[in-house]
Amino acid sequence: MRVAAGQFAVTPDWPTNARTCVSLMRQAAEAQTSLLVLPEALLARDDNDPDMSVKSAQRLDGGFLRLLLDESRHNSMTTVLTVHVPTTEGRAANTLVVLRSGEIIARYQKLHLYDAFNIQESKRVDAGNALPPLIEVDGVKIGLMTCYDLRFPEIGLAHALQGAEVLVLPTAWVRGPLKEHHWATLLAARALDTTCYIVAAGECGNKNIGQSRVIDPLGVTLAGAGYARQLIFADISLEVLRQVRAQLPVLTNRRFAPPQIM
């Protein structure tokens, strides 16, 4: 199965960002991609206004997603991204959506909000309280995660114990001391924790690192992007995954109970 991760610098203008997403979707579909992952919080971003993502929040039937859903009707590809959806006055939910054949087939409200490194996502964003169901793409079971979730091994393990073979991760990974090292280390660690493939898309620009990655179940990078707009591809194999899990049966050797949400 061919997977892709697309990255770009989100602008303050949502129609511009929607057109960029549509362009990446078309390129991925033309390359016979089954699963495309785009970054986190794609509606709008402004380097001078840290609250722009929430201020620009749209309902799931808003103009931004209508444009992307219109594009998804023209192919059989599954596309994953996140947007902010209004909740109460001045607040929003960081919501991952899965698009296929012109429909939203799954959604997930981000569990772990980024209250770290002098940033407080929870100031304007409401956390979710439930794991999403697994989705299936070409017979492959997919677990859904968003950005800061990567730092919490329980969510990936919970997905893997339910049968996930791939973990997808839209992100806007903020720049800072050692942050790129954290990114690379955590992606490899989560792949090894779960013996899953990981498809991670990172928003780029002045504030975020980009560096989208496709990681195999042994923590090896199969495809990687730099700092600018880019679309990367990799082919993943359930046969390879089965071989890895036979050699490294961490999911069956574990001695702890499955994780659960508090």
Side-chain angles (χ1 to χ4, degrees), residues 2-142:
R2 172 155 287 191
V3 300
Q7 66 179 42
F8 65 99
V10 176
T11 76
D13 181 61
W14 74 257
T16 297
N17 301 326
R19 288 192 294 270
T20 300
C21 291
V22 166
S23 175
L24 290 167
M25 291 168 71
R26 287 177 181 168
Q27 293 174 61
E30 288 170 1
Q32 304 301 307
T33 300
S34 296
L35 172 67
L36 169 66
V37 183
L38 297 173
E40 175 188 25
L42 293 182
L43 278 165
R45 194 181 303 281
D46 188 333
D47 291 347
N48 298 312
D49 184 356
D51 297 324
M52 174 61 77
S53 294
V54 173
K55 291 177 181 177
S56 66
Q58 291 187 16
R59 290 161 46 98
L60 293 180
D61 59 0
F64 181 90
L65 279 178
R66 280 205 306 271
L67 288 173
L68 273 62
L69 289 167
D70 285 345
E71 178 62 27
S72 79
R73 290 188 178 93
H74 301 300
N75 58 67
S76 59
M77 184 175 66
T78 299
T79 302
V80 181
L81 64 142
T82 91
V83 294
H84 282 84
V85 178
T87 52
T88 56
E89 182 66 30
R91 299 187 65 83
N94 189 340
T95 305
L96 181 152
V97 291
V98 182
L99 315 182
R100 185 190 297 160
S101 301
E103 302 291 338
I104 297 174
I105 66 164
R107 66 187 71 175
Y108 158 62
Q109 187 173 340
K110 187 178 181 183
L111 276 171
H112 299 101
L113 299 183
Y114 187 55
D115 289 356
F117 294 106
N118 299 313
I119 294 175
Q120 189 179 6
E121 186 177 11
S122 65
K123 181 179 71 172
R124 287 181 173 266
V125 176
D126 299 323
N129 56 18
L131 279 174
L134 300 184
I135 65 167
E136 191 167 304
V137 178
D138 292 354
V140 179
K141 295 182 175 62
I142 313 289

